[in-house]
Amino acid sequence: MNDALPDHRRLGRELGLFDTDPLMGAGLPYWLPDGAVVRHTLEEYIREAERRAGYRHVYSPALGKRELYEISGHWGHYRDDMYPAMQVGADEVVLRPSLCPHHALIYRSRSHSYRELPLRIAELGSMHRAELSGVLGGLTRVRAIQLNDAHIFCTLDQAVEEARAALELIARAYADLGIEAVRHRLSLPGEGGKYVADPELWRRATALLREVLDESGIDYEEAEGEAAFYGPKIDVQIADPAGRESTLSTVQIDFHQPARFDLRYIGADGAKHRPVMVHRSIIGSVERAVAHLIEAHRGAFPAWLAPVQVVVLPVAQEQVEQAVAVVRQAVELGLRAELAGPADGSLGARIRGVRLVPYQAVVGAREAAEGLAAVRLRDGRRPGELPVPELLRRIADRVAARGTALWE
């Protein structure tokens, strides 16, 4: 890789975000405190966005009986990417490669009326893929994945609107995260036997996804051989600084698994009907999303996502007490704040050391006496001296607003 390009593997270690250990194993990174803050904040953002959009959150186990994945089709079509079954007593259990079979069972566990639909089930859940050592890399290809996943159980008439709304959620998240899609792809089946053999299923699902893209006004390209084994999908493609593409977000319309699990709802006519299953992921795997954010922002995350949002810098030891009080006030407002005192070096050295922190509040003798702080923004701007309560309120407002703007 070109050393001039940001590499999330190098930056992640330099910034203390994540690392690996051979005793844990390849493709199994661990998160350091600052990286854990980024991950947690991202996960909470997604949960809240989903909650506002009408999703209900669930938890499901990372293991399932082999029979579950035989029913879903994963065992027959996706076995090479799954870990071997483990014998536990009389059962064979498998680390799940996907959350959708579990959500199908959750739906099936209760009877449903058409009045309940669309029923939106979301989870930030773990899954496992038996990736070969040669393709593993940092956070982009890992063996244990935390997936932002959701499944919408709806009527056929509701499927297009639900999928279109999912694309809107994805676009809004990208804007808040400060990242861009390089293209949208309609992923279709290709040659070979890895796909479900049901031409009518593929025709119906593909037609609906084309309608979704056309109604959304999104330009897209078709790509054969990139579909899931059970149906076509819309892939939202991102690119790393070297121009290499990968899929971050997906939207799918699925007729296969509702049939495999014999999912039903009671219609207005009192009869049983088959729901449609819309799969969608706003940010895909948390690991890949964070890798892309590290490279896209070169470690200078949007203020709401930054591990440390405010650093308070007393000019001399005499201002440390006042600076500590500013940190305390910031923390009470829900901000992630730290002190960088004289023991850490000269003021200039300390400012250089926190250059990726969005907000730097310098407290000298006059500022301490008058309850002020001199504000420096990460991008070099200096809004001037402000009363500490006003400064912290402005920062808290910007953080709450999400997005990438640092100042009003």
Side-chain angles (χ1 to χ4, degrees):
M1 175 175 284
N2 187 336
D3 291 338
L5 297 175
D7 181 342
H8 81 278
R9 295 167 296 184
R10 175 179 56 79
L11 284 171
R13 288 173 172 84
E14 288 178 0
L15 300 175
L17 302 176
F18 70 91
D19 213 328
T20 58
D21 191 292
L23 283 178
M24 290 189 190
L28 298 169
Y30 59 84
W31 298 80
L32 295 162
D34 280 356
V37 169
V38 174
R39 171 174 167 167
H40 177 79
T41 305
L42 181 59
E43 291 177 349
E44 288 303 301
Y45 166 80
I46 291 298
R47 286 192 183 97
E48 179 60 19
E50 289 172 337
R51 186 195 64 79
R52 290 196 306 268
Y55 288 81
R56 305 289 300 277
H57 288 93
V58 298
Y59 291 104
S60 60
L63 288 168
K65 290 175 66 174
R66 170 178 162 174
E67 181 184 359
L68 170 60
Y69 306 107
E70 289 175 340
I71 293 171
S72 71
H74 286 83
W75 191 255
H77 294 274
Y78 201 72
R79 191 184 317 172
D80 290 345
D81 295 299
M82 296 173 63
Y83 284 97
M86 297 173 282
Q87 194 72 37
V88 181
D91 296 325
E92 280 190 296
V93 296
V94 181
L95 284 166
R96 69 178 172 193
S98 174
L99 278 66
C100 39
H102 293 246
H103 288 187
L105 293 184
I106 289 172
Y107 177 88
R108 197 175 73 175
S109 69
R110 303 287 187 275
S111 61
H112 300 280
S113 162
Y114 72 96
R115 294 185 181 89
E116 299 174 59
L117 305 185
L119 179 63
R120 308 179 185 99
I121 294 176
E123 181 176 4
L124 275 156
S126 60
M127 66 181 197
H128 297 78
R129 302 273 172 90
E131 300 279 11
L132 298 176
S133 298
V135 301
L136 299 173
L139 297 176
T140 55
R141 292 291 289 269
V142 294
R143 288 171 169 162
I145 302 163
Q146 191 75 7
L147 187 68
N148 160 230
D149 206 8
H151 299 93
I152 304 161
F153 301 90
C154 61
T155 67
L156 180 61
D157 291 342
Q158 295 167 334
V160 168
E161 174 56 27
E162 289 299 313
R164 188 196 61 76
L167 285 176
E168 285 189 355
L169 266 180
I170 291 167
R172 192 175 311 129
Y174 282 27
D176 286 344
L177 291 165
I179 59 177
E180 295 181 353
V182 293
R183 66 185 177 112
H184 290 71
R185 185 178 74 190
L186 178 58
S187 294
L188 303 172
E191 297 296 327
K194 76 172 187 175
Y195 302 104
V196 170
D198 188 334
E200 179 61 15
L201 173 156
W202 290 97
R203 186 196 65 77
R204 294 173 69 200
T206 301
L208 290 173
L209 289 179
R210 284 198 178 104
E211 185 177 343
V212 170
L213 289 162
D214 292 340
E215 285 193 6
S216 301
I218 293 173
D219 292 330
Y220 64 95
E221 300 172 13
E222 297 186 1
E224 293 186 358
E226 298 293 340
F229 73 84
Y230 51 82
K233 57 194 175 89
I234 297 170
D235 288 326
V236 183
Q237 300 295 103
I238 57 171
D240 70 10
R244 290 184 293 257
E245 277 194 26
S246 59
T247 301
L248 187 61
S249 312
T250 60
V251 179
Q252 305 168 51
I253 292 178
D254 179 10
F255 296 103
H256 173 70
Q257 292 195 64
R260 297 282 289 188
F261 286 98
D262 194 25
L263 304 185
R264 302 284 184 173
Y265 68 90
I266 305 300
D269 58 0
K272 292 182 178 180
H273 298 268
R274 182 88 66 210
V276 177
M277 194 171 173
V278 177
H279 306 236
R280 60 104 283 234
S281 182
I282 297 175
I283 59 163
S285 88
V286 172
E287 290 80 9
R288 180 171 290 181
V290 173
H292 187 63
L293 286 164
I294 291 170
E295 293 182 348
H297 297 294
R298 297 176 183 257
F301 297 105
W304 65 273
L305 197 57
V308 179
Q309 296 164 323
V310 186
V311 168
V312 184
L313 301 107
V315 172
Q317 187 63 36
E318 290 76 16
Q319 291 90 50
V320 168
E321 183 177 347
Q322 291 89 341
V324 168
V326 175
V327 171
R328 189 179 306 117
Q329 292 174 58
V331 171
E332 288 173 355
L333 282 175
L335 298 171
R336 296 186 286 274
E338 291 184 357
L339 179 78
D344 297 321
S346 68
L347 180 61
R350 283 180 278 150
I351 289 174
R352 289 191 296 274
V354 298
R355 64 190 179 281
L356 296 180
V357 176
Y359 305 101
Q360 300 145 24
V362 178
V363 179
R366 189 172 67 81
E367 288 85 3
E370 299 180 16
L372 303 172
V375 188
R376 293 170 174 262
L377 305 184
R378 177 176 59 201
D379 59 13
R381 285 180 290 165
R382 300 188 185 186
E385 296 176 337
L386 289 171
V388 168
E390 180 183 349
L391 167 62
L392 298 181
R393 178 190 59 77
R394 287 196 183 193
I395 294 173
D397 286 348
R398 283 304 330 152
V399 167
R402 309 283 195 254
T404 57
L406 286 177
W407 204 246
E408 297 170 2

